[in-house]
Structure formats: structure tokens, C-alpha cells
Amino acid sequence: MKQTARKILLLIATPFIGAGIVYSQTAVTTPQAADDEEVLGEEIVSSEEDDETELRESIVLIPEEADDIDIPIPSFINKGANHIIFNGADWGGLRKAFTSSASSPVSIVHIGDSHIQADISSGTTRELLQYDFGNAGRGLITPLKLSGTNEPTNYSFQSRNSWIPNKLMSNSWRQTVGFTGTSIRPATSSGELTLSTSERDDYNPFSSVIIFHAGRLSVNGVRGSQGQKLQFRAIPSRDYTHIILPSQETKISVDFSSAGDLTVFGASLSGDRPGVFYHAIGNNGAAYDTYNRIGNVGAGLNPLQPDLVIISLGTNEAFGRFDSRSFTRAVDNLVNNIRTSNPDALILLTTPMECQRSVTTTKKVTVRGKKRRNGRRGKSRTVNRKVKSYAVNTKIAPIRQAILDYGKENGIAVYDWYTVAGGNGASSSWISNNLFAGDRVHHTHKGYNLEGRLLYEAIMDALRTVN
């Protein structure tokens, strides 16, 4: 099965993850010795992890290394561990839902950080599940580009008008961000939104659109891809407006007006057909506590009628101060928030895989003095030099263990991606096999395809397993 090759620009806006800054192994930050000085020896004085807690944006280019989602699985992948740890959770209802997917769609919601925002790994899982069980539609899309960050290439959320953006990781919110972690507020009382799916990848026509928002939204008209007026029916609700179209479309423009209190969080595109929805919610820099900050994630998910909610977080916590008890409380708060509004939905926690972080080493370097005109050298002297390199992020392992323990103690299924990816030492294997991007945290396109395929296989194994 082929998937169109794509170049993905990740705008990493995170207070934790190293934002695509690739350091030289010999980056000197103190004055270097002159060319005619000779280094006589060096001594490591100190080594410290770089401070990566400032909010910053940078561009990470994930090269189009892999356009085939059926890539070979490297030998260091632990295929024997590639299964769901049920922890006593009953997945019988999900199996029945998939069995009935030919008549009623299955809804999966995958929540995460920048690994999910790019929608490469989750897009691979989506494509494979929909290949087996049918494509119910593209599902949830969010106004990431309008809010000033990277957006997946398989949809477009655009507008000719000016909008006031808000992102999950902003220090302060000018307006609520909603359950998607992203929001836009129109600068005028009327405007338009253009929603479309890409025709380069899977064919994703839709005849039903749910726009999630706060405040009043009045739909004044809907136009098709050629600007033609379309018949429509708009059904307002407290948290969203449902637009029903008479035909399948791949692009529409919605003309609207508001009372000045409108904030848009995203939209769900449905083909009104059976199969699988695989909704993805990803925000650069996100952690459990940042989603808890929203407060109503579970209520926001409810209209999507999720059968399964996958939570893939924990990487960003490893780039800040980590306290096991505080982390477990944050996991519990998000899980309970989702469960309260979606009592029938299964929850699957995934562990983060080993990654690396930049480390600055200070060395004392002894250099011989400069040559003088008489041919003699001056006195030798000692200078400090700082060299930036990489080391395994040691906080990932305890975060992984905390998630495993929480799942076991609370009867919640866990996918141990840490072990599947190769466990201790996996980051070096991923680097040598061109599966990690330059920051040694994010993956290349090939790496994300591999991750998405392995999650798909674990889900399929769970659907065949009786527990």
C-alpha cells in the first residue's frame, strides 16, 4: 500500500522539547586559541543538561524518506512486545464495534503532542485501519495553520478573514482553546471558513460537517469548490453547529456571522458512511497537565462518540522537572475527565520511547602560547571550552514506568511503545537507521510510518484476542 510522499514542516512550539536545534559536537562558546596555538590536553570540568524550558519555535524538516507505509520492520524492534497490555480492561465492546463497522462507524480519538500534531504516525494507523474496515471520513480537523503552527497536509482549514489565534502552550489565553487545544476568534462579525480534504492521498469526500465552537455561529451560506452555492441544513447546538449537505464534497466555504462571541476549535468531516473515524488531536509541547488546563476535554470529545481514546503523552514531561506523584496525578486527572463525559469509551495509554537531549560539557583545555618573532612560544595557558553533544534522556524511563504502574493499578490498557521501539538503547538504533530527526526526539517520515504501522498491528492483535 502506498502513501504519497510528503515533506512535513514541524513548527515546534514547546517549552520542553528541543526545537529542532542541531548542535555540533565541537561547538565552542569561549574564545578559541589562535591558529598558531597548540592544544596540549583537555580535562572535563562539568557536564550539564541544556536548559530547554523556554518557549520557542523552530522549523524541523522531516525528509520524505519513506512513501511506503509497509516498510520493513528493523531487527531491533521488539515485535514480541507489540501488543496491548489490557490490565483487566474489557475490550469486548470495541471488538463488537469493529465487527459492526460495516453498518455503524467506529470512532477512535488519538490525543498527543507534536508527534501527533504532524499526523504522520496517526495518519498511517488511520489509513491501515480504514483500508481494513472502511473509511467513514477524515474526521476531526483543527485550525492549526490559522493559529500560527504546522498543519497536516491531508486537509486544509483556511479563511480569507483575519482571526485572533490561541494555542494550548501559550502562557496566557486570550480566549478559551477548547478541547482541541487550538482556537481562533474572528476579528469581524462576519466572514468565511474554507474546509477541504486533500485529493493527493486517500479520497475523503464529506457530506456532513460539525463545526466545534463557543459562542454564536450563524451559517449564512455554503459554497462548493467552484464557488457554486450549495443547498444545506444547519443544526445549531450548544457546543457545535452541524451542517448537512445534499452531496459529497471535498471542499466547501462556509459564510457565517456571529454576535462577537464566536471562537472556533475545529471541525469534523464525515462521509455519512460506515467504517472507521480516526480523529487526531496533537499540540506541540503538550503534556498531561496542559490538557488538564483546558478543563473540559472529555466534554468536547463527547460529540465524536469515541469508542476508544488513545493518549500519547509523556515526552515533554521528560524535558522539565519530573515528579512521579505529580505526573501520576496529571494522568489520573485527564483520564477521569475523559471518562466522566464518555463512560463507554475505552482508554489506551501509550508510553514514550527513549529519546535524547542536548548536553553541554565544559572542558579545561591547555594550549601552548603563540609563537613570537624570535621563534619562541609564550607560556602555556588554560581556557574553558563548552562542547554541546547528546545523551539519553534519563527521565523517559521513569515516566514510562509511571504510566505502566498507573494502567495496572487502575485497570486501563497500556501500549508500551518504549519496549516495542527497542527499549533501553533504542534511540541509538533509531539514529543509525535514519528513523530519528536531527533533534533526536522527533522521528523522520520513515520513523513515524513505522510507529503508526506497529500501533495498527497492536490494535489488530487486540481485536483478535479474547481477554
Side-chain angles (χ1 to χ4, degrees):
M1 183 186 302
K2 293 286 183 181
Q3 176 173 286
T4 306
R6 296 172 288 183
K7 285 186 178 180
I8 307 296
L9 286 178
L10 294 184
L11 292 173
I12 307 302
T14 164
F16 301 139
I17 288 180
I21 301 174
V22 181
Y23 295 115
S24 165
Q25 298 298 311
T26 57
V28 179
T29 58
T30 55
Q32 297 190 41
D35 292 341
D36 58 350
E37 291 183 333
E38 179 183 354
V39 176
L40 300 179
E42 59 183 28
E43 173 189 357
I44 296 177
V45 179
S46 64
S47 179
E48 59 183 14
E49 294 179 337
D50 291 344
D51 181 9
E52 300 177 4
T53 59
E54 293 183 0
L55 185 67
R56 51 193 174 182
E57 286 195 357
S58 185
I59 294 177
V60 178
L61 178 63
I62 298 179
E64 47 181 325
E65 297 174 4
D67 62 354
D68 192 342
I69 59 178
D70 292 327
I71 61 176
I73 297 178
S75 59
F76 57 82
I77 295 295
N78 190 340
K79 294 184 66 176
N82 193 37
H83 59 265
I84 305 299
I85 304 170
F86 293 111
N87 289 323
D90 183 4
W91 278 44
L94 184 64
R95 296 186 191 100
K96 290 180 181 178
F98 270 94
T99 300
S100 303
S101 61
S103 57
S104 179
V106 178
S107 177
I108 298 175
V109 179
H110 197 155
I111 300 172
D113 47 33
S114 55
H115 293 304
I116 301 300
Q117 179 169 327
D119 195 43
I120 306 175
S121 62
S122 51
T124 297
T125 307
R126 177 190 302 114
E127 182 175 344
L128 289 167
L129 286 174
Q130 290 182 340
Y131 181 84
D132 288 342
F133 297 99
N135 183 343
R138 175 56 182 81
L140 185 67
I141 65 175
T142 53
L144 293 166
K145 187 173 291 186
L146 286 175
S147 68
T149 186
N150 59 292
E151 190 171 276
T153 61
N154 51 33
Y155 72 80
S156 180
F157 205 119
Q158 298 177 322
S159 177
R160 299 190 308 266
N161 308 108
S162 296
W163 295 77
I164 300 169
N166 222 27
K167 289 181 288 188
L168 180 63
M169 297 307 299
S170 299
N171 290 328
S172 60
W173 295 343
R174 288 174 288 188
Q175 69 249 8
T176 179
V177 296
F179 73 101
T180 65
T182 304
S183 72
I184 53 174
R185 179 161 54 89
T188 56
S189 60
S190 62
E192 63 86 29
L193 281 171
T194 298
L195 313 174
S196 65
T197 54
S198 172
E199 296 182 359
R200 294 179 300 167
D201 301 311
D202 286 344
Y203 186 56
N204 260 317
F206 52 89
S207 56
S208 175
V209 178
I210 296 177
I211 300 178
F212 297 98
H213 60 86
R216 180 183 175 185
L217 172 68
S218 298
V219 180
N220 300 325
V222 179
R223 291 171 283 113
S225 59
Q226 305 302 317
Q228 74 278 22
K229 289 185 178 181
L230 299 176
Q231 297 294 319
F232 70 93
R233 181 184 176 196
I235 305 173
S237 183
R238 187 184 66 176
D239 300 319
Y240 59 86
T241 297
H242 189 183
I243 301 174
I244 301 174
L245 305 172
S247 59
Q248 299 283 329
E249 305 291 337
T250 56
K251 180 179 180 180
I252 64 168
S253 294
V254 179
D255 297 312
F256 68 87
S257 58
S258 68
D261 59 348
L262 175 65
T263 305
V264 176
F265 310 133
S268 182
L269 309 181
S270 169
D272 290 317
R273 51 185 181 267
V276 173
F277 285 114
Y278 198 100
H279 311 284
I281 300 173
N283 290 273
N284 294 339
Y288 278 95
D289 260 342
T290 49
Y291 279 105
N292 288 331
R293 184 182 169 199
I294 297 172
N296 62 347
V297 170
L301 296 180
N302 182 264
L304 298 175
Q305 300 180 315
D307 297 290
L308 173 65
V309 178
I310 305 172
I311 306 176
S312 296
L313 294 165
T315 298
N316 286 306
E317 285 90 336
F319 286 84
R321 293 182 180 178
F322 174 69
D323 175 76
S324 181
R325 290 184 179 179
S326 297
F327 176 77
T328 300
R329 282 197 299 269
V331 175
D332 189 58
N333 287 340
L334 184 57
V335 167
N336 288 331
N337 186 280
I338 293 172
R339 272 184 159 175
T340 298
S341 297
N342 305 276
D344 296 327
L346 286 173
I347 294 178
L348 174 63
L349 306 177
T350 76
T351 63
M353 72 166 287
E354 181 186 271
C355 63
Q356 298 187 9
R357 66 179 302 160
S358 59
V359 177
T360 298
T361 302
T362 301
K363 296 181 178 181
K364 283 187 177 295
V365 179
T366 302
V367 295
R368 184 176 295 175
K370 296 180 181 180
K371 281 186 179 180
R372 297 173 179 172
R373 292 183 179 180
N374 60 9
R376 296 181 180 179
R377 287 185 177 270
K379 292 182 179 180
S380 299
R381 61 194 180 94
T382 301
V383 298
N384 286 338
R385 293 185 180 179
K386 289 186 177 181
V387 179
K388 287 188 176 181
S389 58
Y390 285 92
V392 170
N393 190 328
T394 57
K395 295 178 183 177
I396 288 289
I399 286 173
R400 171 245 182 187
Q401 191 60 51
I403 294 173
L404 289 175
D405 291 344
Y406 178 83
K408 185 176 182 180
E409 293 169 5
N410 293 275
I412 296 174
V414 176
Y415 177 60
D416 189 10
W417 172 235
Y418 179 95
T419 299
V420 175
N424 184 24
S427 59
S428 295
S429 299
W430 278 62
I431 291 167
S432 60
N433 284 267
N434 297 317
L435 298 173
F436 258 172
D439 62 6
R440 306 191 182 196
V441 177
H442 298 94
H443 307 338
T444 59
H445 199 129
K446 180 180 177 182
Y448 280 123
N449 280 343
L450 175 61
E451 180 181 12
R453 175 188 170 183
L454 289 167
L455 177 57
Y456 155 79
E457 291 182 354
I459 292 173
M460 291 297 291
D461 176 73
L463 296 178
R464 292 188 294 264
T465 302
V466 177
N467 68 310

